[in-house]
Each structure stands twice: as structure tokens, then as C-alpha cells.
Amino acid sequence: MLDSSTWRHVFKLDPAKALTDEQLDQVCTSGTDAIIVGGTDQITLDGVLDLLSHIRRFEVPVVLEVTNKDAISPGFDYYFIPLVLNATNKKWMMDVQHEAIKTFGPMINFDQVSAEGYCIMNPEAKAYKKAQCRLPDKEDVIAYAKMTEHVFHLPFFYLEYSGTYGDVELLKAIRPHLKETQLIYGGGIYTLADAEKMAAYADTVVVGNSLYTDFKQAIKTVQIKQIT
Amino acid sequence: MLDSSTWRHVFKLDPAKALTDEQLDQVCTSGTDAIIVGGTDQITLDGVLDLLSHIRRFEVPVVLEVTNKDAISPGFDYYFIPLVLNATNKKWMMDVQHEAIKTFGPMINFDQVSAEGYCIMNPEAKAYKKAQCRLPDKEDVIAYAKMTEHVFHLPFFYLEYSGTYGDVELLKAIRPHLKETQLIYGGGIYTLADAEKMAAYADTVVVGNSLYTDFKQAIKTVQIKQIT
């Protein structure tokens, strides 16, 4: 069973984007608590397997965030299933996930599977458009967080700003409402200072896009593990 | 915190339908494990309060199944929130529930709140039409049940045939997939024999409509508690 409760920092790698082998080695040995493989566009089984075979040579836990059932592969430690809470179309809240469970049936080991209650906050993000999201206000977001903890009992509530830096005040407002459910923040973390501000309220910060734009700064964000 | 794990038989009373005071007394003293107050149409606060004030004079636990946020009242032991898994419209899966959590905010004591993963199987039922359901096949239903237990971690999976007697073979097929989540069956139970067949696989059977059509037979269904 997954114990992610101590995860403070996670890197997210996109199978559709490229890092050099050396950079990948650096990510894997950076001291990050886990690596999530996930993305929205052009996620292929080949791309997923390329990353997996590289990362598996190291000890860091590796998670597949399942967004395309044709790109699911065995061999990961855990599988995270995003449920898009602020989607307007039920498909992205639970129907594609239901379809995957129907398809893979007894092959699924649910001890390796965790659902993430996703709240996507950037209207320009591909995932936002794909899931036909609506932008929630502060009270909406808090009610989503409560629902995630008390109604759905999900292990994760994931506030996702996809490439843009989010509202730290919103994160602060969510914080007191989550006791059992882990609060994950992702989006626009380019520097250690960016990470530090969000890690003051989030249990876990996810650093993704910036690996592909300013690798050197991005890799340093792992240091929040020492300073918070 | 609710412990409903021993509930074998539950009566469901519809605030929009009438029983005599004597009949209500009989329901309350029947030995049933709990009474759920709930319905689909014309659920008013007055109707809910009339039932509550009657039932509260007895010791039986009383639950409000929340289908209309304008008819929520304090004073119940528990509040069940139906999430319609086979709705096509996300509204009835989680958005009206989210709206209620947003509205009532800190007034909600989540220790009294449990969500039910509903699967509505009768296309003629008012709830089916209201929630714009689609009819799931056997594999769909099993995948909904698995999702209820392993993804959402809900306390209840509720197979609802609303007034018609359901497919006992389907209930049998679901049974091995639910270990933590309680399997509830409702629909078309008019006699003790009807109840017995479903109770062979369901943890809990719900008897509702038949109270309003053949009270004498309906009240006898409580006897499944002795014979199963």
C-alpha cells in the first residue's frame, strides 16, 4: 500500500517532452520523493515505457498518472487516477476511469491505485480545455476539498495551475479543511523560492514544466525538503 | 460515527406519500434496523419535518437521504448523500452535492454524513429520468461497484430498481467485489420471499414503495432479520 504521506517534493515527467539521459539521471538521483509520469497530450505507450525503463534503474518511487488508457503499462510502483472535480463533463470526473476499470478488470491491483481529486485552475491549460472545466471561486474550491476528504475519502486533493504560478492565498484557505487527504500543489514552480512559498501550505509540491525550460533552477527545488 | 454494518433491513419513507399514524407507529416499532426518509418528487421541508417528528418518538435510527437541499433539516441521526454513478449529467453525480456542501459550509458535521454510490437500474423511474441515467450492462455495474469501494471508498453501493423487482443474478455477480463497501438493494420488495432472495446477496435490503401499496405484506419483510 502506498505511503505518500511524507512526500514533500515530486517531479513530474511528461512522456511527450524530452530531457537528455544525463538530465534524467539527475532527476532520479536528486533526492525527490517520487517521480510521476504524466501529461495531457500525445501520451503514447512508447513514451511511457521509455521513461519507465530509464527511471527504474534508480530507487526513487515511480508513479504513472493515468490519463490515457492506451498508455498504461505494468512496472510502475503506483498508479494515480485523476478525477477532475471541476470538469463540467462527467466523462473526466469518472467515466473514462470507470471505462478503464471495466477494461482492465481483474488485472488491476487496487493496492497500487490511488485517486486524485483534481481541481484545474488555469483556463489556458490543455487539461482544463480537454476536461471542459469551469473556473471555481474560493468557496467552490473549499467545498471541493471538503468533498474530497469527507465524501469521496480520496488520498489526494491536487490544486493544479498547469504551468502558471497559483494563488498562495487560496492554498492557505484550503489548508485547514484537509486533515486526512494530502494537499498537493502543482504549477509554475521555477525556483526554490517558488516551491518554498507553496510548500508552506501544501503537503507536497510538484515540479514539472520547469524541468523543460530551466532545468538547473528546477532541479534545485528539491532543496525544499531540507528547509521546510 | 455511523455503524450501519449490521443493518439487514431498512424501511424507506417518502415524505410525499401518506401512511396513517398507526401505520407509521408500526413501521417504527417493526424491528427494522433504520428508517430512511427520502424520495424524488415533491420533497418539501414540511413533509420531511412531519415524518421526522413522528419517527423521533421511537428509538429506531432515522436517516435523511438528501435529494433536495431545500428540504434538509437538523435532527436526523445521519444524512445519506446519493451520488448517481450512472447519471450522464455530472450534476447528479456530484455537482448538486458540492453545491449543498458549499451552501451549508461549517454547519455540516461530516461524522453524520455518508455517501451512497447509486446505480439506478429502472429506466422508468423518476430518479433515473431526473438524473439522465444510462442503463449499465453487467460489466459496467461491476466496474461501478469496484470504483465505489476502491476509488471513492464510499460506505454504500446501492443497486436501485425503484419499484420494480431487480435481477438477483446481477446482485450475485456484484457480491464478491465488495468487501468494505456495504451492498444495498432496493426495489420491488413486496413480500418476505422477495426480501429473502435479495438478502442472500445484499448486506441490506430497503423496503419502500410497497408500504404504500400493501402495507400488511410490506411490514412482514422485517422478518428477514430472523431468517437470514
Side-chain angles (χ1 to χ4, degrees):
Chain A
M1 202 65 138
L2 169 67
D3 181 17
S4 57
S5 59
T6 57
W7 292 2
R8 288 289 282 153
H9 180 281
V10 168
F11 277 127
K12 188 183 275 192
L13 295 177
D14 186 334
K17 293 179 183 170
L19 293 179
T20 67
D21 284 355
E22 269 170 29
Q23 286 175 324
L24 272 178
D25 289 354
Q26 268 186 271
V27 170
C28 294
T29 57
S30 62
T32 189
D33 295 307
I35 294 174
I36 296 176
V37 172
T40 306
D41 263 358
Q42 294 160 318
I43 306 305
T44 64
L45 186 57
D46 278 351
V48 166
L49 288 175
D50 275 357
L51 273 180
L52 177 66
S53 63
H54 197 112
I55 303 166
R56 276 277 80 145
R57 295 185 289 117
F58 300 90
E59 283 179 13
V60 62
V62 56
V63 179
L64 181 64
E65 190 171 65
V66 181
T67 50
N68 170 2
K69 80 176 159 69
D70 299 326
I72 299 177
S73 154
F76 285 83
D77 295 309
Y78 309 111
Y79 298 83
F80 286 1
I81 304 184
L83 310 175
V84 185
L85 303 170
N86 64 321
T88 58
N89 187 336
K90 178 167 172 270
K91 181 176 176 184
W92 302 103
M93 168 58 201
M94 66 163 281
D95 290 348
V96 291
Q97 299 82 349
H98 172 252
E99 191 61 33
I101 290 169
K102 185 181 172 186
T103 305
F104 292 101
M107 287 162 62
I108 302 173
N109 173 2
F110 281 105
D111 285 346
Q112 291 184 296
V113 174
S114 297
E116 305 164 300
Y118 247 84
C119 195
I120 311 180
M121 300 299 291
N122 174 6
E124 299 307 316
K126 283 174 187 167
Y128 186 102
K129 290 173 184 169
K130 193 171 175 185
Q132 298 162 260
C133 290
R134 75 176 188 105
L135 195 63
D137 65 23
K138 180 181 157 188
E139 297 308 320
D140 283 324
V141 174
I142 289 172
Y144 282 135
K146 286 183 181 178
M147 215 170 166
T148 301
E149 172 150 326
H150 296 292
V151 177
F152 295 131
H153 310 290
L154 305 184
F156 305 112
F157 180 77
Y158 195 136
L159 195 71
E160 170 62 278
Y161 280 86
S162 326
T164 57
Y165 197 66
D167 178 0
V168 69
E169 291 303 316
L170 180 59
L171 206 59
K172 187 178 175 180
I174 298 166
R175 178 70 273 170
H177 299 286
L178 295 178
K179 305 227 166 22
E180 302 294 325
T181 294
Q182 197 165 334
L183 177 55
I184 303 181
Y185 171 82
I189 295 182
Y190 287 85
T191 67
L192 180 58
D194 294 341
E196 210 178 333
K197 267 209 282 192
M198 293 302 181
Y201 304 108
D203 294 305
T204 310
V205 296
V206 177
V207 178
N209 289 355
S210 63
L211 285 169
Y212 303 94
T213 56
D214 186 345
F215 184 84
K216 220 170 146 182
Q217 287 292 330
I219 208 82
K220 285 185 189 161
T221 58
V222 177
Q223 294 170 25
I224 56 153
K225 289 184 61 183
Q226 274 75 57
I227 62 180
T228 60
Chain B
M1 201 67 137
L2 169 67
D3 181 17
S4 57
S5 60
T6 57
W7 292 1
R8 288 290 281 154
H9 180 282
V10 169
F11 278 125
K12 188 182 275 192
L13 295 177
D14 186 335
K17 293 180 185 171
L19 292 180
T20 66
D21 283 355
E22 268 171 30
Q23 285 175 326
L24 272 178
D25 288 355
Q26 266 187 273
V27 169
C28 294
T29 57
S30 63
T32 189
D33 294 307
I35 295 174
I36 296 177
V37 172
T40 305
D41 264 358
Q42 295 160 317
I43 308 306
T44 64
L45 187 56
D46 278 351
V48 166
L49 289 175
D50 275 355
L51 273 180
L52 177 65
S53 62
H54 196 112
I55 303 165
R56 274 278 80 143
R57 296 186 288 117
F58 299 90
E59 283 180 13
V60 62
V62 55
V63 179
L64 181 64
E65 191 171 65
V66 180
T67 50
N68 171 3
K69 80 177 159 71
D70 299 326
I72 299 177
S73 154
F76 286 82
D77 295 309
Y78 309 111
Y79 298 83
F80 286 0
I81 304 184
L83 310 174
V84 185
L85 303 170
N86 65 320
T88 58
N89 187 338
K90 179 166 171 270
K91 181 176 176 184
W92 303 103
M93 167 57 201
M94 66 163 280
D95 289 349
V96 291
Q97 300 82 349
H98 173 252
E99 190 62 33
I101 290 169
K102 186 181 171 186
T103 306
F104 292 101
M107 287 161 61
I108 302 173
N109 173 3
F110 281 105
D111 285 346
Q112 291 184 295
V113 173
S114 297
E116 306 164 299
Y118 247 84
C119 196
I120 310 180
M121 300 299 291
N122 174 7
E124 299 307 316
K126 283 175 187 169
Y128 186 102
K129 290 173 183 169
K130 192 170 176 186
Q132 297 163 261
C133 290
R134 76 175 187 104
L135 194 63
D137 65 24
K138 178 181 159 190
E139 297 308 320
D140 283 324
V141 174
I142 289 171
Y144 282 134
K146 285 183 181 178
M147 214 169 166
T148 301
E149 172 148 327
H150 296 290
V151 177
F152 295 132
H153 312 289
L154 305 184
F156 304 112
F157 181 77
Y158 195 136
L159 195 71
E160 169 64 277
Y161 279 88
S162 326
T164 58
Y165 196 65
D167 178 0
V168 70
E169 290 304 316
L170 180 59
L171 206 59
K172 186 178 176 180
I174 298 166
R175 177 71 273 170
H177 299 287
L178 295 178
K179 305 223 163 27
E180 303 294 326
T181 294
Q182 197 165 335
L183 177 54
I184 302 181
Y185 172 82
I189 296 182
Y190 287 84
T191 66
L192 179 58
D194 294 340
E196 208 177 337
K197 267 210 280 192
M198 294 302 181
Y201 304 107
D203 294 306
T204 310
V205 297
V206 177
V207 178
N209 290 354
S210 63
L211 285 169
Y212 303 94
T213 55
D214 186 346
F215 185 84
K216 219 170 149 183
Q217 286 292 328
I219 208 83
K220 285 186 191 161
T221 59
V222 178
Q223 295 170 25
I224 57 152
K225 290 185 60 182
Q226 273 77 55
I227 60 179
T228 59

